[in-house]
Structure formats: structure tokens, C-alpha cells
């Protein structure tokens, strides 16, 4: 709806099997001057991330039903589910399951850039939290993330992991450039935004 120079948009996501409303949101504000299509694009991108992002409604719904799955999904699908669960919980138990599944997915699909990036992220946190399950975890993480970025230049997670690695190594200019590149791919990714803000704050304190 539009009127008096303002807009209001109501969005509802419904499960087409149960007809249960799994998500709803309202967007409102002042209509921008010039092209209305720019506003449409911004809202559409935001909706896509809220639904299909790593912490989006789709992943959260699937994770709730994870224990009811009767047949084991393909390796990459299982790795993606367990990786999403780990990023939600950040517990070592969730980490262990995600690591095992993602390493298996990588063995089965060595050219899968997304699996490489997830594995790189897990290796970084193995180093950061001192789990010590992976030898030379930080170096391996860096190499895998760069490989993933070469394979898919639009893979945001790869640049997030590269930026995190550079931050941990004290290369703040490289951290900033890679964090900005990650955000340019998807500015609605809350993880990328919060990580850049947190690390930038730490850099300022140092």
C-alpha cells in the first residue's frame, strides 16, 4: 500500500502442506524519490535473506524437523543442516557433528565450493576455541577459504572466513577489504555485518 508519500508492505510465508503461517513481516517507510524499483529490489533482497539465509526461516524450520528425518539425506545436505545447527547453537557437541558431516561432504564432493567454505569456517573455530581436533587448523582454514573463493567469486562465506583469518593474524587492512567484499555480496547478512562491527571495534581498541 502507498499513500501520503509512504509505503507499507505485509509479507506472510505459509507452509503449503499444513497451511501454517511460519513467518510474517511488515516493511514500512517513506517512499524514495526517483525509481520505485530500487525500493522493490531492496525489500525483495531483505525478504530472500530472511527466508533463505543461513539463519532464515527455511533453515530454522528444517532444523526443527531434523530428528524426524527417516532416511539420511545426501552428504552435502546433511552437512548444511548440521552446519546451520552449529551456527545457531555454537556448542561443541553441535560443532563435532557439523565437522564430521562437512568433512564427509567434502570427501564426496571435493569441487563443492560451499562445502569448502563451511569446512574452512569450522576449522577457524576449531583453532579459535581450542578444540584441537584439526592440526594446523588456521592455515588449513585460510587455504580452503581462498580455494572456495576462487571456485565461486560470489560465495560470501568464503570471504567472511578469509576476513576472520586475516583478523586473527593481525592483518587488519586485509581483514577490512575482505569483510567489505563479503558484505557487498549480500549486505543483509547479519552475521557478516555483526562480525565486521565486532572485529572493527576490537581493531580500534588495539
Amino acid at each position: 500500500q502507498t499513500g501520503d508519500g509512504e509505503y507499507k508492505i505485509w509479507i506472510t510465508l505459509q507452509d503449503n502442506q499444513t497451511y501454517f503461517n511460519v513467518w510474517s513481516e511488515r516493511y514500512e517507510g517513506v517512499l524514495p524519490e526517483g525509481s520505485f524499483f530500487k525500493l522493490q529490489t531492496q525489500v525483495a533482497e531483505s525478504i530472500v535473506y530472511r527466508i533463505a539465509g543461513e539463519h532464515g526461516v527455511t533453515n530454522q524450520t528444517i532444523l526443527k524437523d531434523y530428528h524426524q528425518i527417516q532416511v539420511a539425506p545426501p552428504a552435502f545436505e546433511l552437512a548444511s543442516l548440521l552446519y546451520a545447527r552449529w551456527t545457531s547453537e555454537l556448542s561443541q557437541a553441535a560443532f563435532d557433528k557439523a565437522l564430521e558431516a562437512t568433512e564427509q561432504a567434502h570427501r564426496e564432493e571435493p569441487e563443492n565450493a560451499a562445502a569448502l567454505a563451511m569446512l574452512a569456517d569450522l576449522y577457524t573455530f576449531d583453532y579459535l576455541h581450542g578444540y584441537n581436533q584439526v592440526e594446523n587448523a588456521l592455515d588449513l582454514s585460510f587455504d580452503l577459504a581462498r580455494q572456495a573463493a576462487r571456485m565461486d567469486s560470489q560465495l560470501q562465506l568464503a570471504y567472511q572466513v578469509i576476513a576472520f583469518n586475516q583478523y586473527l593474524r593481525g592483518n587488519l587492512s586485509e581483514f577490512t577489504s575482505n569483510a567489505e567484499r563479503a558484505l557487498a555480496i549480500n549486505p543483509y547478512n547479519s552475521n557478516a555485518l555483526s562480525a565486521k562491527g565486532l572485529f572493527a571495534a576490537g581493531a580500534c581498541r588495539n
Side-chain angles (χ1 to χ4, degrees), residues 87-168:
T87 60
S88 296
E89 296 181 5
L90 293 179
S91 67
Q92 184 166 0
F95 173 89
D96 292 343
K97 291 179 180 179
L99 179 63
E100 180 182 3
T102 307
E103 287 182 330
Q104 179 62 34
H106 175 53
R107 285 192 291 269
E108 293 189 15
E109 300 182 45
E111 300 303 314
N112 187 320
L116 276 174
M118 291 191 302
L119 193 56
D121 195 24
L122 289 161
Y123 284 176
T124 302
F125 275 80
D126 180 77
Y127 167 83
L128 186 65
H129 291 284
Y131 293 154
N132 297 320
Q133 296 196 36
V134 181
E135 189 174 351
N136 298 321
L138 191 62
D139 291 336
L140 277 175
S141 170
F142 193 43
D143 291 342
L144 289 176
R146 289 189 297 179
Q147 185 180 343
R150 287 193 297 269
M151 293 167 65
D152 184 352
S153 62
Q154 294 300 304
L155 187 55
Q156 186 178 43
L157 180 59
Y159 293 104
Q160 286 179 236
V161 176
I162 293 171
F164 198 2
N165 265 265
Q166 296 289 16
Y167 178 82
L168 292 173

Side-chain angles (χ1 to χ4, degrees), residues 28 36 51 55 64 85 130 142 165 171 174 183 187:
E28 58 182 78
F36 187 71
I51 293 174
H55 297 300
K64 288 179 183 177
R85 168 160 284 185
F142 193 43
N165 265 265
N171 300 327
E174 288 295 319
L183 279 175

Side-chain angles (χ1 to χ4, degrees), residues 36-82:
F36 187 71
F37 295 113
K38 184 176 181 180
L39 171 63
Q40 289 181 312
T41 299
Q42 291 174 340
V43 173
E45 288 176 346
S46 174
I47 292 169
V48 167
Y49 183 72
R50 291 293 303 276
I51 293 174
E54 56 198 280
H55 297 300
V57 178
T58 302
N59 265 347
Q60 294 303 315
T61 302
I62 292 172
L63 285 173
K64 288 179 183 177
D65 298 333
Y66 167 69
H67 291 294
Q68 299 178 22
I69 296 175
Q70 301 296 318
V71 180
F76 177 68
E77 185 178 333
L78 178 62
S80 298
L81 280 171
L82 294 177

Side-chain angles (χ1 to χ4, degrees), residues 152-199:
D152 184 352
S153 62
Q154 294 300 304
L155 187 55
Q156 186 178 43
L157 180 59
Y159 293 104
Q160 286 179 236
V161 176
I162 293 171
F164 198 2
N165 265 265
Q166 296 289 16
Y167 178 82
L168 292 173
R169 297 167 191 270
N171 300 327
L172 298 184
S173 62
E174 288 295 319
F175 153 70
T176 300
S177 64
N178 282 285
E180 289 176 347
R181 185 165 186 177
L183 279 175
I185 294 170
N186 179 8
Y188 298 98
N189 186 323
S190 56
N191 274 1
L193 276 168
S194 59
K196 184 183 178 185
L198 178 64
F199 299 149

